[in-house]
């Protein structure tokens, strides 16, 4: 007796006792998640992000609650909070290693702790996004092992079964992210990221456009329709790019993407730190804004959310980078969030961190970025009930 229906931008099709019936006029102004069965909380988050566009840009930080430049696993601690007085509005995590059922991810974050951080930060109002630096299924090497693999894990490939097992492991972790009452915590999932780079095995030089799109669609369909996960929004992600054609080349389609995004970092190159800083910042801002123009154009055109999914300037060697460079570049765009990468501290003889810690040269400027601006931390979201709006 239950009619099956499908939304076709204002045109509804009902199949009633085997007879298709078309009905006009039930137009939904606000775009819906691609998952027609998205949970109420996920639809609520999605609607909230659409409503917030242009008003606020949520600030995000990778692994924020797990460790900082000078500490590891101290309950309640966060470099962002220690400097700005509040936690990030967006928490980034990476599940690289879950495919092998490892207990810790590729950066040594225990999955049990990650789960707890995701649940507790969502309870406080933050939004969680997950990337996946998965190993190379053809070799057992890392994400950076660019041996050809995509073609082998597609449904016609010899390693498809193994890849499906990996997705099962991803699904069981995602499924375990639940509030105390059992309700799944909505997640922004960003697999196969930086697709137009040349450093991961799923990047452009190592698979065809058709293969990438097939991998994406298979993954989404599998998690959504076979594993029955309905608390996931899907994030399309490139690295920085030259033009519209490059950004959209491997776009899997409007029925497979909820958020469009790209990653871009500022680098100093070989220039002298002092004399080169200004030129480097200028170059970064120009490139970032030209990419944001393309992102915003496409997000509007396709009715999608938009985000700067990863950014930063390693070790932030600029005391006013936050307000003069980052915020100044992004403030006029309809970005849902901007996320800076992780605060590892020392990594292979150099400092690898993207948010300041107390005493850092950019600490004051970082704090100022949130004063009277659109950039928002967790406290902005806490009273808004983003997972429980009446839509
Ligand atoms: C990179 C670096 C690596 C890390 C990887 C996944 O940009 O931070 O050290 O392993 O991201 O988090």
């Amino acid at each position: 007796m239950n009619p099956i229906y499908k939304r076709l931008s204002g045109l509804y099709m009902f199949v009633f006792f085997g007879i298709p019936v078309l009905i006009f006029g039930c137009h939904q102004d606000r775009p819906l998640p691609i998952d027609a069965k998205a949970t109420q909380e996920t639809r609520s988050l999605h609607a909230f992000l659409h409503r917030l566009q242009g008003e606020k840009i949520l600030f995000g930080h990778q692994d924020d609650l797990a460790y900082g430049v000078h500490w590891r696993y101290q309950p309640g601690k966060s470099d962002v909070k220690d400097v700005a007085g509040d936690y990030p509005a967006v928490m980034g995590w990476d599940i690289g290693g879950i495919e092998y059922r490892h207990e810790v991810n590729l950066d040594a974050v225990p999955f049990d702790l990650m789960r707890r951080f995701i649940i507790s930060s969502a309870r406080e109002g933050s939004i969680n996004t997950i990337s996946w630096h998965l190993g190379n299924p053809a070799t057992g090497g890392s994400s950076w092992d660019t041996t050809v693999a995509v073609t082998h894990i597609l449904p016609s490939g010899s390693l498809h079964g193994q890849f499906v097992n990996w997705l099962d492991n991803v699904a069981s972790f995602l499924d375990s992210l639940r509030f105390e009452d059992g309700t799944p915590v909505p997640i922004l999932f960003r697999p196969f990221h930086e697709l137009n780079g040349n450093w991961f095995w799923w990047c452009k030089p190592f698979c065809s456009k058709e293969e990438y799109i097939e991998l994406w669609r298979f993954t989404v369909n599998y998690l959504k329709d076979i594993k029955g996960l309905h608390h996931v929004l899907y994030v399309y992600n490139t690295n920085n790019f030259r033009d519209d054609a490059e950004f959209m080349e491997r776009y899997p389609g409007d029925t497979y993407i909820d958020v469009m995004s790209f990653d871009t970092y500022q680098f100093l190159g070989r220039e002298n730190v002092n004399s080169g800083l200004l030129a480097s910042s200028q170059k970064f801002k120009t490139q970032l804004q030209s990419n944001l123009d393309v992102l915003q154009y496409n997000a509007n055109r396709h009715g999608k959310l938009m985000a700067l999914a990863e950014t930063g300037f390693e070790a932030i060697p600029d005391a006013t980078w936050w307000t003069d460079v980052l915020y100044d570049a992004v403030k006029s765009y309809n970005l849902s969030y901007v996320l800076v990468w992780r605060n590892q501290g020392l990594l292979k003889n150099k400092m690898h961190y993207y948010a300041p810690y107390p005493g850092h040269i950019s600490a004051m400027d970082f704090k100022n970025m949130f004063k009277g601006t659109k950039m928002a931390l967790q406290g902005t979201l806490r009273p808004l009930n983003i997972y429980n709006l009446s839509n």
Side-chain angles (χ1 to χ4, degrees):
M1 286 288 279
N2 270 349
I4 310 163
Y5 65 90
K6 195 175 177 189
R7 194 171 66 88
L8 296 165
S9 60
L11 176 67
Y12 281 72
M13 182 173 77
F14 287 81
V15 181
F16 202 61
F17 291 112
I19 305 162
V21 182
L22 291 174
I23 296 180
F24 291 91
C26 309
H27 186 70
Q28 280 275 353
D29 288 324
R30 216 180 305 123
L32 296 168
I34 58 157
D35 183 353
K37 293 186 182 162
T39 63
Q40 198 273 325
E41 294 70 23
T42 309
R43 278 184 282 124
S44 174
L45 169 63
H46 184 262
F48 169 79
L49 289 174
H50 273 280
R51 260 182 250 167
L52 203 69
Q53 277 194 319
E55 310 239 326
K56 294 279 178 213
I57 300 173
L58 306 175
F59 183 79
H61 185 212
Q62 186 75 2
D63 286 348
D64 185 79
L65 302 171
Y67 54 84
V69 174
H70 297 301
W71 57 277
R72 288 279 177 281
Y73 309 108
Q74 291 182 28
K77 201 163 164 65
S78 147
D79 281 346
V80 166
K81 176 176 160 276
D82 284 351
V83 174
D86 193 7
Y87 295 102
V90 174
M91 302 282 182
W93 308 100
D94 194 281
I95 54 171
I98 203 87
E99 64 278 14
Y100 300 118
R101 294 178 166 272
H102 287 165
E103 290 194 349
V104 301
N105 83 347
L106 78 165
D107 299 319
V109 181
F111 286 111
D112 280 343
L113 265 182
M114 192 187 293
R115 179 184 304 110
R116 273 193 252 162
F117 292 141
I118 290 172
I119 297 166
S120 63
S121 62
R123 206 194 300 120
E124 294 300 317
S126 284
I127 296 165
N128 286 277
T129 176
I130 292 181
S131 51
W132 184 22
H133 280 84
L134 68 164
N136 184 314
T139 62
S142 75
S143 300
W144 292 268
D145 174 344
T146 55
T147 308
V148 167
V150 173
T151 186
H152 304 307
I153 61 175
L154 293 174
S156 57
S158 57
L159 297 172
H160 184 63
Q162 180 195 321
F163 180 64
V164 168
N165 286 339
W166 285 13
L167 287 181
D168 287 340
N169 297 338
V170 169
S172 78
F173 181 73
L174 292 174
D175 192 46
S176 74
L177 305 172
R178 288 168 184 267
F179 293 111
E180 289 70 10
D181 68 356
T183 309
V185 177
I187 296 295
L188 303 180
F189 188 40
R190 184 173 64 100
F192 312 121
H193 64 298
E194 300 176 355
L195 64 95
N196 60 332
N198 61 5
W199 42 86
F200 299 134
W201 55 260
W202 56 85
C203 284
K204 190 170 164 170
F206 317 112
C207 60
S208 69
K209 168 186 165 177
E210 291 71 26
E211 286 168 343
Y212 183 86
I213 292 176
E214 191 182 351
L215 174 64
W216 184 281
R217 291 183 178 175
F218 177 83
T219 301
V220 171
N221 289 338
Y222 189 76
L223 295 177
K224 181 166 65 82
D225 303 332
I226 307 294
K227 303 306 286 188
L229 299 179
H230 300 299
H231 60 297
V232 183
L233 297 174
Y234 293 90
V235 185
Y236 173 74
N237 181 256
T238 68
N239 200 61
N240 55 33
F241 47 86
R242 275 183 317 279
D243 53 21
D244 187 272
E246 185 180 349
F247 179 63
M248 292 302 284
E249 191 208 333
R250 295 177 172 218
Y251 183 65
D254 286 350
T255 52
Y256 286 90
I257 298 294
D258 293 299
V259 184
M260 290 186 184
S261 71
F262 66 87
D263 295 355
T264 190
Y265 288 85
Q266 183 171 341
F267 295 98
L268 250 192
R270 286 170 193 219
E271 302 120 300
N272 169 281
V273 173
N274 294 317
S275 60
L277 199 52
L278 205 61
S280 150
S281 293
Q282 208 41 59
K283 188 172 155 219
F284 174 72
K285 270 170 97 166
T286 307
Q287 160 90 29
L288 174 54
Q289 292 196 312
S290 90
N291 282 188
L292 286 170
D293 287 337
V294 171
L295 176 64
Q296 184 150 303
Y297 169 78
N298 283 292
N300 284 346
R301 205 167 145 227
H302 295 263
K304 303 300 175 185
L305 295 163
M306 59 185 268
L308 180 51
E310 280 184 40
T311 192
F313 192 2
E314 192 178 60
I316 327 143
D318 176 351
T320 58
W321 189 76
W322 301 100
T323 58
D324 283 349
V325 183
L326 182 66
Y327 185 67
D328 197 48
V330 302
K331 67 185 179 201
S332 56
Y333 292 90
N334 293 339
L335 287 162
S336 294
Y337 66 92
V338 164
L339 182 142
V340 299
W341 206 239
R342 60 199 202 94
N343 274 17
Q344 165 69 31
L346 198 61
L347 179 73
K348 292 179 198 145
N349 300 327
K350 67 171 178 161
M351 292 303 272
H352 184 62
Y353 63 89
Y354 295 88
Y357 51 86
H360 185 271
I361 55 158
S362 76
M364 185 59 79
D365 188 59
F366 183 70
K367 205 173 166 176
N368 286 339
M369 179 171 63
F370 302 99
K371 287 193 186 145
T373 67
K374 282 165 131 182
M375 198 65 98
L377 292 164
Q378 189 184 70
T380 303
L381 300 183
R382 210 173 290 128
L384 297 180
N385 245 343
I386 61 171
Y387 300 115
N388 199 11
L389 300 174
S390 44
N391 305 294

